[in-house]
Amino acid sequence: MLLESYKIASHNDSLLKGHENKLAFTRSEIAGTEEIIQKLVDFQIAIPSWALGTGGTRFGRFAGGGEPRSLEEKIEDVGLLHALNKASGAISLHIPWDIPTDPKAIRTLAAQHGLKFDAVNSNTFQDQADQEYTYKFGSLQNVNKAIRKQAIDHNIEVIKHGIELGSDSLTVWLSDGSCFPGQLNFRKAYQNTLESLQEIYAALPDDWKIFVEYKAFEPNFYSMTVGDWGQSLSYARKLGDKAYTLVDLGHHLPNANIEQIVSLLLMEEKLGGFHFNDSKYGDDDLTAGSVKPYQLFLIFNELVEGMDARGMNHAKDLGWMIDASHNVKDPLEDLLQSVEAIMIAYAQALSVDRKALEDAQENNDVVRAQEILQNAFRTDVRAIVAEARLRAGAALNPVALYRELKVRENLIAERGLKTVSTGL
Ligand code: LRH
Ligand code: MN
């Protein structure tokens, strides 16, 4: 569904007065508002192609209607999100859920919507109908060399799809592991996985990156062969300069200090990117910032501190991606909310008085340090996030405009109630 700019303009006109008042107040509260707004305009978050339909669990899936039936319709939906917030300028594909049959046409369609292709994702956690060997007991770790080769070949095929689309990175998430003590020789599983990743690494174009995504549990429930940041870092170091770790916020054991993990991986120059979402228990894939917004702020606080310490380009030097699954919300509204929450956390982190914080830390003034951080977290930055959208030609309130335009109703009218989108 194409969104005409005049509809955005009239929406913004109706909200402009209130917005300008809030922005004026926020300017009086935060130093360097102009620099922050420019950084927000440049900051783009990739949308997962597998999260444009209704997700489900083993207990059930309740379709919301109007879901994209093809890669083309997925690109249209991400294009609509990008038109509404001008902060979703990329789509991350998952192969084979989204095989681009005509890459040239797909690239053209994406470009028409102002979209690039972020990391491509391989899938050796499901068996495809035409597959010779099963991944029941793992893929790159598998005791059977032929099965490892099948998985390696798939990843190399995914790289080829990515090259045709102009992507420059591959995300490898392995469901490999074990469900019971004694089932797996950890040493051999690690070695098989490393050797397999080395064959995939060798197939990477010079300017590409490979992201090794770790996960503490599920679908294996005793061990995961890439189970935490340390194991992912271990593989990434052994693979080489093009290999990095990928932090999915939902892939940690309860109470893990993710912001400290992020700080360390940045220092190690092995942090590749993120899968943003939120969770209360496991890999719940909920809306970013919907359960632990302070944690999301603390993660961006470490990102700003660590990236500035290395002179990194905030917008370009890391992979910013969402990975979510929507069981009860409209997928597009949920994604708009996730992008908003990420932008708010980033803006709050940019508004931290770094000099004062460093001074407090150097003087062990714990109370002052906390006051400085919590002041930033408790400062309402929504007006400057909205101002960044306004300057980029997007909507002041994307979710409100999405509803005003009855987008879901139109998609259901166009696509039907029962359409199912490939993905989770
Ligand atoms: C695994 C994961 C991974 C994707 C999948 C869709 O939990 O986070 O990033 O491949 O979700
Ligand atoms: Mn993920």
Side-chain angles (χ1 to χ4, degrees):
M1 185 184 147
L2 265 182
L3 180 48
E4 300 81 354
S5 52
Y6 76 85
K7 289 181 178 165
I8 296 176
S10 61
H11 161 83
N12 290 343
D13 292 349
S14 67
L15 298 173
L16 206 54
K17 198 84 213 82
H19 166 67
E20 284 168 348
N21 292 344
K22 281 188 226 137
L23 183 61
F25 174 74
T26 309
R27 279 185 193 290
S28 67
E29 289 270 291
I30 296 177
T33 303
E34 272 312 304
E35 292 73 31
I36 296 176
I37 291 171
Q38 193 45 54
K39 281 196 161 59
L40 294 172
V41 169
D42 300 339
F43 199 79
Q44 297 294 314
I45 300 158
I47 304 295
S49 65
W50 60 92
L52 296 165
T54 303
T57 72
R58 56 187 168 158
F59 301 105
R61 179 179 176 281
F62 306 92
E67 297 189 10
R69 300 162 289 188
S70 64
L71 179 51
E72 288 77 4
E73 290 186 345
K74 288 186 175 188
I75 290 172
E76 282 166 20
D77 287 3
V78 177
L80 177 80
L81 294 177
H82 191 47
L84 285 167
N85 63 22
K86 280 289 184 285
S88 312
I91 182 170
S92 181
L93 299 190
H94 218 299
I95 308 290
W97 293 335
D98 309 303
I99 292 180
T101 45
D102 177 348
K104 204 162 164 319
I106 289 291
R107 275 187 90 152
T108 308
L109 177 64
Q112 282 162 358
H113 289 278
L115 303 177
K116 292 196 184 74
F117 288 93
D118 206 309
V120 284
N121 298 263
S122 60
N123 178 342
T124 58
F125 51 85
Q126 293 172 328
D127 289 344
Q128 307 306 319
D130 58 355
Q131 204 170 293
E132 185 172 4
Y133 301 106
T134 178
Y135 292 131
K136 179 174 181 176
F137 296 109
S139 59
L140 302 186
Q141 77 170 22
N142 202 292
V143 295
N144 177 329
K145 189 169 177 49
I147 296 179
R148 298 199 298 272
K149 182 169 182 338
Q150 176 182 276
I152 293 165
D153 293 349
H154 164 69
N155 277 277
I156 293 173
E157 191 196 329
V158 172
I159 292 170
K160 288 201 183 92
H161 286 300
I163 293 167
E164 290 171 327
L165 293 170
S167 171
D168 62 5
S169 52
L170 167 72
T171 295
V172 178
W173 170 66
L174 301 172
S175 60
D176 294 21
S178 63
C179 277
F180 297 95
Q183 173 187 340
L184 194 66
N185 177 305
F186 295 143
R187 192 173 41 70
K188 289 182 184 171
Y190 178 95
Q191 208 49 43
N192 288 342
T193 301
L194 178 61
E195 287 164 17
S196 303
L197 285 171
Q198 282 166 336
E199 288 194 45
I200 297 167
Y201 187 91
L204 289 174
D206 294 348
D207 62 347
W208 270 53
K209 293 177 177 177
I210 181 170
F211 299 144
V212 181
E213 182 178 2
Y214 59 87
K215 185 173 182 177
F217 63 91
E218 189 206 36
N220 276 296
F221 296 104
Y222 173 63
S223 76
M224 295 286 277
T225 301
V226 189
D228 63 20
W229 65 268
Q231 291 171 43
S232 175
L233 181 60
S234 169
Y235 289 113
R237 278 208 185 119
K238 289 196 174 81
L239 287 170
D241 296 349
K242 292 186 275 187
Y244 297 85
T245 62
L246 187 140
V247 178
D248 184 314
L249 302 195
H251 289 187
H252 299 83
L253 293 172
N255 309 323
N257 186 328
I258 303 176
E259 55 270 25
Q260 186 187 17
I261 293 169
V262 165
S263 170
L264 178 112
L265 294 174
L266 256 180
M267 265 185 296
E268 296 291 329
E269 303 187 7
K270 278 298 184 184
L271 177 62
F274 288 85
H275 277 181
F276 290 112
N277 49 53
D278 210 338
S279 51
K280 186 153 185 62
Y281 304 105
D283 187 20
D284 309 342
D285 280 343
L286 301 174
T287 319
S290 62
V291 178
K292 299 182 287 237
Y294 192 49
Q295 175 181 267
L296 187 60
F297 160 71
L298 292 174
I299 289 169
F300 270 93
N301 179 53
E302 291 305 330
L303 282 167
V304 169
E305 201 276 334
M307 293 180 88
D308 289 352
R310 288 180 45 202
M312 294 170 73
N313 175 307
H314 292 188
K316 296 199 175 3
D317 291 348
L318 289 181
W320 309 110
M321 297 167 274
I322 289 171
D323 182 357
S325 179
H326 328 283
N327 300 349
V328 294
K329 287 184 182 179
D330 177 313
L332 299 182
E333 290 185 341
D334 197 341
L335 290 163
L336 288 171
Q337 290 183 309
S338 277
V339 171
E340 173 82 356
I342 294 163
M343 286 297 195
I344 288 172
Y346 180 36
Q348 290 167 329
L350 289 169
S351 73
V352 169
D353 182 339
R354 299 272 152 212
K355 187 75 199 67
L357 180 61
E358 189 176 5
D359 181 57
Q361 289 166 340
E362 292 304 314
N363 295 288
N364 297 315
D365 186 342
V366 183
V367 170
R368 177 127 179 71
Q370 184 180 335
E371 287 294 310
I372 292 164
L373 269 194
Q374 294 202 331
N375 174 55
F377 178 68
R378 292 170 175 155
T379 299
D380 188 350
V381 297
R382 290 175 293 177
I384 51 180
V385 173
E387 177 64 15
R389 284 195 296 271
L390 188 63
R391 295 185 189 184
L396 279 170
N397 186 329
V399 170
L401 182 54
Y402 177 92
R403 292 197 167 192
E404 279 164 31
L405 297 172
K406 297 194 175 335
V407 173
R408 182 55 58 187
E409 292 82 345
N410 290 314
L411 290 174
I412 290 171
E414 180 193 334
R415 298 169 181 174
L417 260 177
K418 291 283 173 245
T419 54
V420 176
S421 162
T422 54
L424 281 184

